Amino acid sequence: GGRYFALALPIAVPVLLLALRDGGARLRPDAGRWAVAGLAVCSLAMTTMGVSAVRSSHRANARLVATVDRAGQTVLVTTEGAMPRFAWPTFDRQRWLLAGPDDLDDLLARLRAAGVTQVGFVTRNLDRDRETLDAAGAGVLSVDASESARRWHVLVVQVDPA
């Protein structure tokens, strides 16, 4: 996303500073002071909002990873590509498998054939994925909704109901 625009900052900042200097030279001295004060306030506000947004995101991710960790499963399946990246602190004790929504039933069949009986399952679209789990014959043993605002759902799924 937008994080790649940061690569342009070393080029854009000097150009913008020169433009501000030239524009500021045309202002009256009192207007120039107000402009500098306004820029300082805006910069401080943007920095504060950016830091608090990153901090909030990290806290939400930590709560989500803790919820997944509480499920206690070593094999975890998700239909959301971002989830394994959030869980990097637990990679040493968890194995993540990513399945597209249309490939979930095939993955569950392969896990069943490999002798796996239970998995943790993480999704943001519980209605869609629950239908697939039910159609594949997997039983949902528990559901724990993450406390994050992103509405993640962490399920413990019985892959082999036998």
Side-chain angles (χ1 to χ4, degrees):
R3 65 185 176 268
Y4 297 111
F5 291 119
L7 298 174
L9 284 178
I11 296 167
V13 168
V15 172
L16 292 173
L17 286 175
L18 288 173
L20 284 173
R21 185 195 68 188
D22 293 344
R26 286 182 247 140
L27 294 175
R28 292 187 328 254
D30 61 329
R33 282 191 294 275
W34 281 106
V36 169
L39 282 173
V41 168
C42 288
S43 295
L44 181 61
M46 295 290 286
T47 301
T48 302
M49 289 188 304
V51 168
S52 63
V54 168
R55 202 162 129 201
S56 174
S57 176
H58 286 186
R59 285 181 179 168
N61 290 344
R63 286 192 303 268
L64 174 59
V65 170
T67 302
V68 170
D69 218 16
R70 279 195 307 269
Q73 302 300 310
T74 56
V75 176
L76 296 155
V77 176
T78 186
T79 53
E80 304 293 335
M83 185 56 228
R85 290 190 301 266
F86 295 151
W88 66 266
T90 61
F91 266 11
D92 59 337
R93 62 182 181 277
Q94 295 172 339
R95 180 175 174 201
W96 282 94
L97 301 172
L98 176 63
D102 297 334
D103 302 325
L104 184 56
D105 53 349
D106 181 52
L107 177 61
L108 293 173
R110 288 186 292 151
L111 288 170
R112 188 177 296 122
V116 175
T117 57
Q118 283 185 2
V119 297
F121 182 73
V122 183
T123 183
R124 284 163 78 182
N125 191 336
L126 185 58
D127 295 333
R128 175 200 66 205
D129 292 336
R130 188 121 193 207
E131 287 178 17
T132 305
L133 291 172
D134 291 342
V140 176
L141 300 177
S142 68
V143 178
D144 188 359
S146 167
E147 299 168 8
S148 77
R150 296 186 192 131
R151 307 282 188 254
W152 291 90
H153 302 278
V154 181
L155 292 69
V156 174
V157 176
Q158 183 79 27
V159 176
D160 187 8

